[in-house]
Amino acid sequence: MNKKPYYITTAIAYTSGKPHIGNTYEIILADSIARFKRYQGYDVFFQTGTDEHGQKIELNAKEIGVKPKEFVDSIAGQIKDNWDLMNTSYDKFIRTTDTDHVEQIQKIFKKLYDKGDIYKGFYEGMYCTPCESFFTQSQLEDGKCPDCGREVQPAKEDAYFFKMSKYAERLSNHIKENPEFIQPESRKNEMVNNFIKPGLQDLCVSRTSFTWGIPVDFDDKHVVYVWIDALCNYITGIGYDADGKSSEQFNKYWPANLHLIGKDILRFHTIYWPILLMALDLPLPKQIFGHPWLLQGSAGDKMSKSKGNVLYAEDLVNIFGVDPVRYFVLHEMPFDNDGVISWELMVERVNSELANTLGNLVNRTISMSNKYFDGIVSNGNDIEAVDEELKKVVLATPDKVIAKMEKLRVADAISEIFNLFKRCNKYIDETMPWVLAKDEDKKARLETVLYNLVESICIGASLLKSFMPETADRILAQLVAKERSIKEIKDFGLYPSGNKVTDKPEILFARLDLKEVLEKVEASKEVDSETDEEDSNTMDDSNVIDIEAKPEITFDDFLKLQFQVGEIIACEEVKKSKKLLCSQVKIGSQVKQIVSGIKADYSPEEMIGKKVMVVTNLKPAKLAGLMSEGMLLCAEDAEGKLSLLVPERPMPSGAEIS
């Protein structure tokens, strides 16, 4: 029998920096859905990848003195490593620098131009470099970018435009006729009321102010704007060809069943993308789901490197392991509201749900089987009413999980599985195997109880595998059982009577002491801080007394460094550091955060307003948990006292030092 195809994608990650756990949540969520669909018997194709063009990347690469391709190669590698760390089962990792993608984007652009849907004009408005988006004055919020809240700059340039208004009514009708197209419902209402109803403006789809992008092959002054480039990965990645020679894979999997994206990029996916597809005469994806954000700490702050509150997947995995992190981000994220993660919450959930509910259940069941029957699990068929109650809960769970997953309520699906495990724990309390073991006449009854527990756990573990794959495999291995198919989990009693479980049960999840965990976290921060402070002092030392000469460099090497005048507009002490100050330094139209080891010589108040000399193209580095995006130049006297290097004459912020 042919399997029904199912195509799921994540948004492709922008290669501007290392992904944090909030970014990583999306790939874990998509992976759980993809795994469950495979479990249901679908022929799943799961695509993810990286978005690698744009002005921001060009600027970031220039700041550290490398070519854009070298920059994105490094970041794309970090992102892929992160996805692999979290045991995600994607089928394709697409990069928008892939040759076949680049060729198709050029064809798509030309096709839309020839059709008259793209025309040449010019754009004038307020531009946000991080978002790579133009806005009118009325769209700004408090004079800043409505998407990210950063400063915008006036800009005017020749550009090609896409006729959005031509397809606006058609899109509006599609949304009305397909209520599941945009989910959750609140996101759909936001798109319709805030963007479609007020009227759609034509979309700028090319740029001339930077070169790191896919060239418009019939007008080499222009590069294709990032949103056409990035969005079309969903079709180019599976073999779409604008000349009408699309692959069998494309014809099999398109339209996509699910685009899984963050709520902050919903507008691009639910307005721009469907209209582009309409213009290409392609069917629209069946559903676009804008998931909420994973916030950090009790205050529920959005993760930001500048705030120093970013949590990374590998740091969490080093303490808790892969599956506990997967469990937390999947189970603790509400369907349509933001979730919160913290070290304290992680410890609480590991102890209460994973160690107590699941780990203890598996360990007790295997230990009792070994203690009372040398590990042999036999069905004694001594049935009581409490057994039927257990079976009723266990056999109802698969349909409940399937129903939740059909609505993408992943957290609720996991709750149903853990309700099964909780019912097993209650069953142990109700049947009291340790009491039955004291009465030889109750042997068959004890066998039945332990058999029912093993059978129930097998079904629960099979359902759990989509969400915690390593844990499910470990459970089944200890029970010496195979994973049950989607059909088999609806039958109770398939565990072979007389089978033998392992005689060496392992602890699935050790209980954690919060104090010890926090001490490990702080120790890790202190190690980073000490290393960073040493590095900071080394960078800021421009000692002109008797110092050891460094190796000679070429003039070309020197030209890689960029020196500019900066103005310190804000400064504060770095907590828990004896040496560091954190300054916000205005350099032209940009503001960079720079952490320097000058606290012994300057107070934060003294720093504000100073014009200083800055190295502006250093690769950002973490110092005492804060990102530092440059270096303030200092001199050091014989006593170790530091003095900031400042311009002799008044100079504007951003002036180049040569």
Side-chain angles (χ1 to χ4, degrees):
M1 185 178 72
N2 291 331
K3 292 183 176 182
K4 190 175 180 180
Y6 187 90
Y7 180 31
I8 178 174
T9 72
T10 68
I12 50 176
Y14 197 46
T15 49
S16 58
K18 179 180 175 181
H20 55 62
I21 188 62
N23 308 134
T24 309
Y25 161 67
E26 183 175 300
I27 189 74
I28 300 172
L29 178 63
D31 179 67
S32 70
I33 296 169
R35 286 178 181 270
F36 196 79
K37 285 296 180 183
R38 293 191 194 103
Y39 183 57
Q40 288 182 285
Y42 286 84
D43 178 0
V44 173
F45 193 84
F46 172 19
Q47 180 170 296
T48 186
T50 44
D51 173 9
E52 302 186 11
H53 292 123
Q55 186 176 24
K56 185 177 180 180
I57 288 172
E58 186 175 84
L59 293 173
N60 286 354
K62 184 179 180 181
E63 284 184 359
I64 63 173
V66 300
K67 293 181 179 180
K69 186 59 165 66
E70 184 180 350
F71 181 86
V72 297
D73 283 348
S74 174
I75 301 298
Q78 292 180 34
I79 292 170
K80 192 172 186 295
D81 288 346
N82 196 278
W83 289 186
D84 293 341
L85 170 69
M86 297 314 302
N87 196 11
T88 58
S89 59
Y90 55 85
D91 296 289
K92 178 162 185 174
F93 189 97
I94 187 173
R95 297 179 58 183
T96 56
T97 51
D98 291 341
T99 302
D100 53 351
H101 173 80
V102 170
E103 291 175 354
Q104 286 304 321
I105 294 302
Q106 291 179 318
K107 287 184 181 182
I108 288 169
F109 197 95
K110 183 67 162 58
K111 180 175 182 176
L112 295 175
Y113 177 77
D114 290 343
K115 188 177 179 181
D117 284 335
I118 286 180
Y119 64 91
K120 193 171 185 179
F122 71 89
Y123 202 99
E124 186 170 15
M126 305 304 292
Y127 186 69
C128 176
T129 298
C131 293
E132 304 200 20
S133 295
F134 277 103
F135 298 97
T136 63
Q137 284 288 351
S138 62
Q139 290 174 317
L140 301 179
E141 295 181 2
D142 297 325
K144 297 182 179 180
C145 173
D147 287 341
C148 72
R150 293 183 175 92
E151 297 290 339
V152 293
Q153 302 296 327
K156 180 179 179 179
E157 63 180 88
D158 289 338
Y160 285 91
F161 290 84
F162 180 78
K163 293 180 179 179
M164 297 282 289
S165 55
K166 177 179 176 180
Y167 298 93
E169 184 177 356
R170 182 174 163 187
L171 175 61
S172 181
N173 291 335
H174 181 84
I175 293 172
K176 290 177 184 176
E177 294 165 5
N178 297 272
E180 297 297 313
F181 178 58
I182 304 173
Q183 287 294 311
E185 187 77 14
S186 59
R187 311 269 191 266
K188 176 174 71 176
N189 296 336
E190 177 187 348
M191 293 300 106
V192 171
N193 295 330
N194 294 354
F195 296 101
I196 297 177
K197 284 185 177 179
L200 297 178
Q201 297 182 349
D202 288 352
L203 180 66
C204 176
V205 291
S206 79
R207 299 296 308 281
T208 60
S209 57
F210 60 91
T211 60
W212 181 239
I214 297 174
V216 175
D217 56 2
F218 57 87
D219 191 343
D220 58 9
K221 292 182 179 179
H222 292 255
V223 295
V224 178
Y225 187 69
V226 66
W227 284 111
I228 283 187
D229 173 13
L231 288 166
C232 285
N233 92 88
Y234 304 127
I235 53 176
T236 64
I238 54 172
Y240 172 75
D241 185 272
D243 292 337
K245 301 176 183 178
S246 297
S247 69
E248 290 183 9
Q249 184 183 55
F250 176 79
N251 295 327
K252 176 181 181 180
Y253 287 110
W254 192 261
N257 296 80
L258 178 63
H259 287 325
L260 190 67
I261 60 168
K263 64 179 182 178
D264 52 329
I265 54 173
L266 197 65
R267 170 164 52 102
F268 307 105
H269 283 78
T270 59
I271 298 177
Y272 301 170
W273 179 227
I275 287 179
L276 280 170
L277 290 169
M278 289 175 181
L280 292 170
D281 298 315
L282 292 174
L284 305 194
K286 296 177 183 178
Q287 189 171 77
I288 302 168
F289 182 83
H291 65 75
W293 285 334
L294 184 60
L295 305 177
Q296 202 275 332
S298 57
D301 292 328
K302 187 177 179 181
M303 292 188 202
S304 166
K305 292 180 181 178
S306 62
K307 293 180 180 178
N309 68 343
V310 175
L311 294 178
Y312 293 103
E314 59 264 40
D315 295 331
L316 292 162
V317 167
N318 285 340
I319 289 181
F320 301 108
V322 172
D323 271 8
V325 176
R326 285 178 62 103
Y327 169 82
F328 186 91
V329 298
L330 292 174
H331 187 252
E332 296 303 312
M333 284 292 286
F335 177 69
D336 54 3
N337 292 309
D338 295 335
V340 175
I341 186 170
S342 69
W343 297 105
E344 292 82 358
L345 283 173
M346 280 287 302
V347 170
E348 195 280 327
R349 296 299 187 270
V350 167
N351 288 344
S352 63
E353 297 294 319
L354 300 184
N356 282 2
T357 298
L358 178 55
N360 193 38
L361 168 66
V362 174
N363 191 269
R364 291 169 76 191
T365 299
I366 295 175
S367 295
M368 287 189 292
S369 296
N370 278 296
K371 181 177 181 179
Y372 302 136
F373 298 110
D374 294 325
I376 304 297
V377 179
S378 302
N379 190 349
N381 287 310
D382 189 343
I383 301 170
E384 295 184 2
V386 69
D387 302 340
E388 298 303 324
E389 293 173 14
L390 172 68
K391 292 177 186 178
K392 183 178 179 180
V393 170
V394 172
L395 293 177
T397 300
D399 285 339
K400 289 181 178 180
V401 172
I402 291 170
K404 299 297 185 185
M405 291 299 291
E406 287 299 313
K407 297 294 184 181
L408 303 182
R409 293 186 173 272
V410 176
D412 295 336
I414 295 174
S415 290
E416 293 293 349
I417 299 170
F418 272 75
N419 285 340
L420 181 157
F421 295 138
K422 289 175 182 177
R423 185 63 186 85
C424 289
N425 281 316
K426 182 181 178 183
Y427 179 74
I428 292 175
D429 294 336
E430 291 170 332
T431 56
M432 296 186 289
W434 53 90
V435 175
L436 296 175
K438 296 178 180 179
D439 189 343
E440 184 62 28
D441 294 337
K442 297 291 185 179
K443 180 180 178 181
R445 178 60 190 152
L446 179 58
E447 287 179 332
T448 302
V449 166
L450 293 176
Y451 180 88
N452 288 343
L453 285 169
V454 170
E455 174 70 357
S456 299
I457 295 170
C458 283
I459 292 173
S462 298
L463 284 168
L464 187 65
K465 188 166 182 177
S466 298
F467 314 101
M468 302 176 69
E470 291 179 353
T471 298
D473 285 342
R474 290 170 65 196
I475 293 171
L476 293 171
Q478 290 189 74
L479 297 177
V480 191
K482 66 179 183 68
E483 178 188 349
R484 301 288 176 84
S485 71
I486 193 71
K487 292 182 179 180
E488 291 172 335
I489 56 175
K490 297 183 179 182
D491 291 326
F492 197 96
L494 298 183
Y495 188 83
S497 182
N499 202 35
K500 190 177 189 300
V501 299
T502 182
D503 58 358
K504 296 179 180 179
E506 62 173 303
I507 302 297
L508 291 175
F509 307 100
R511 285 186 57 83
L512 300 172
D513 181 270
L514 176 59
K515 182 179 178 182
E516 291 179 1
V517 168
L518 294 179
E519 286 175 351
K520 288 180 181 178
V521 173
E522 287 304 314
S524 177
K525 288 181 180 178
E526 287 176 11
V527 169
D528 290 341
S529 175
E530 289 173 5
T531 302
D532 292 339
E533 287 194 28
E534 289 174 5
D535 292 342
S536 175
N537 291 334
T538 301
M539 288 191 294
D540 276 347
D541 279 349
S542 300
N543 206 329
V544 294
I545 305 178
D546 290 322
I547 64 171
E548 182 179 349
K550 295 182 178 180
E552 289 183 348
I553 62 172
T554 66
F555 186 70
D556 288 339
D557 288 332
F558 176 78
L559 288 180
K560 292 179 181 179
L561 293 173
Q562 185 170 8
F563 301 88
Q564 290 176 269
V565 173
E567 180 181 1
I568 298 178
I569 59 175
C571 184
E572 61 183 9
E573 296 182 355
V574 176
K575 295 179 179 179
K576 299 183 180 179
S577 173
K578 298 179 180 179
K579 300 179 180 180
L580 299 180
L581 293 180
C582 180
S583 302
Q584 304 301 317
V585 186
K586 184 179 180 183
I587 304 165
S589 61
Q590 293 185 316
V591 175
K592 288 180 174 285
Q593 176 170 282
I594 299 178
V595 180
S596 303
I598 56 176
K599 188 175 179 180
D601 302 290
Y602 291 90
S603 68
E605 294 76 15
E606 289 178 277
M607 294 288 288
I608 296 174
K610 280 187 179 294
K611 292 286 184 68
V612 292
M613 297 185 185
V614 187
V615 180
T616 58
N617 67 332
L618 285 180
K619 184 177 181 179
K622 187 173 72 172
L623 308 180
L626 299 176
M627 290 305 298
S628 184
E629 301 170 297
M631 182 182 75
L632 306 184
L633 295 183
C634 294
E636 182 179 7
D637 64 18
E639 297 177 0
K641 186 174 180 62
L642 297 177
S643 176
L644 286 164
L645 299 184
V646 299
E648 182 182 4
R649 298 175 182 174
M651 296 294 292
S653 167
E656 185 174 6
I657 301 171
S658 58

